[in-house]
Amino acid sequence: MSMTTNEASVVDQDRLAVRRTIHIAAAIEKVWTAVTEPEHISMWFGTADFDGSGVGTRGTLTFPGYGTVPLRVEAIEAPHLVSYRWGNDDALGELASEVDPEHSTVFTFTLEAVPDGTRLTVVETGFDTTSDPSANLESHREGWDSELDKLVALLEGGS
């Protein structure tokens, strides 16, 4: 269950995608920084380590008790859109050492300034290329609920 008043993530079985839209009472620039800069990503998601900035940047997200997931920046349209491809196939039972474009998912953050903050939507696609699409869809749906609730708490000054 979501710790915020935002709706939970949903699975689109037809598109094999996970989607969640949340409201954050913070300026779009602040949210943009939180979803694109490694030192800020590390405060709410996994510990982020990137080898640069911009499209093509490679990096990792490390989650305590889970391990290190490789990622690559696929698209950037500051401050409204950033896409990451990652090798996070939970059902496989082992972590990839590099992003495999043939067997990975892409998550895209879309940000929209609204009068009282920012509307952020995440859509993750590509589950059809994973080892167990149904299991991964459910795992990532739960993950986006938890992780985005942390982002809201961080940016709104909560715990």
Side-chain angles (χ1 to χ4, degrees):
M1 181 166 164
S2 176
M3 296 182 303
T4 71
T5 59
N6 289 296
E7 294 290 321
S9 300
V10 295
V11 170
D12 180 337
Q13 288 291 346
D14 293 335
R15 291 185 56 223
L16 292 180
V18 174
R19 177 186 190 90
R20 186 173 189 207
T21 299
I22 61 172
H23 175 268
I24 304 170
I28 193 170
E29 296 81 11
K30 188 172 181 180
V31 178
W32 177 255
T33 296
V35 300
T36 60
E37 294 184 11
E39 62 272 19
H40 293 276
I41 294 169
S42 297
M43 296 172 71
W44 65 275
F45 203 18
T47 302
D49 183 22
F50 294 179
D51 68 4
S53 62
V55 173
T57 294
R58 294 182 179 276
T60 58
L61 289 172
T62 303
F63 301 91
Y66 183 78
T68 300
V69 178
L71 64 78
R72 181 177 67 220
V73 177
E74 297 288 292
I76 296 177
E77 296 172 21
H80 298 285
L81 180 139
V82 61
S83 289
Y84 298 96
R85 178 176 296 278
W86 63 347
N88 190 11
D89 186 341
D90 294 331
L92 191 58
E94 61 185 54
L95 296 173
S97 59
E98 293 185 23
V99 173
D100 175 358
E102 301 296 318
H103 302 285
S104 55
T105 61
V106 174
F107 63 94
T108 301
F109 292 123
T110 304
L111 289 70
E112 177 187 357
V114 293
D116 55 348
T118 303
R119 180 178 301 119
L120 180 143
T121 299
V122 64
V123 177
E124 186 172 2
T125 59
F127 290 96
D128 56 314
T129 70
T130 67
S131 65
D132 186 339
S134 293
N136 284 315
L137 279 163
E138 181 55 25
S139 175
H140 289 227
R141 182 198 63 75
E142 290 176 1
W144 287 119
D145 284 349
S146 171
E147 299 303 336
L148 292 179
D149 284 354
K150 292 180 205 172
L151 175 62
V152 171
L154 173 71
L155 293 179
E156 292 184 354
S159 57

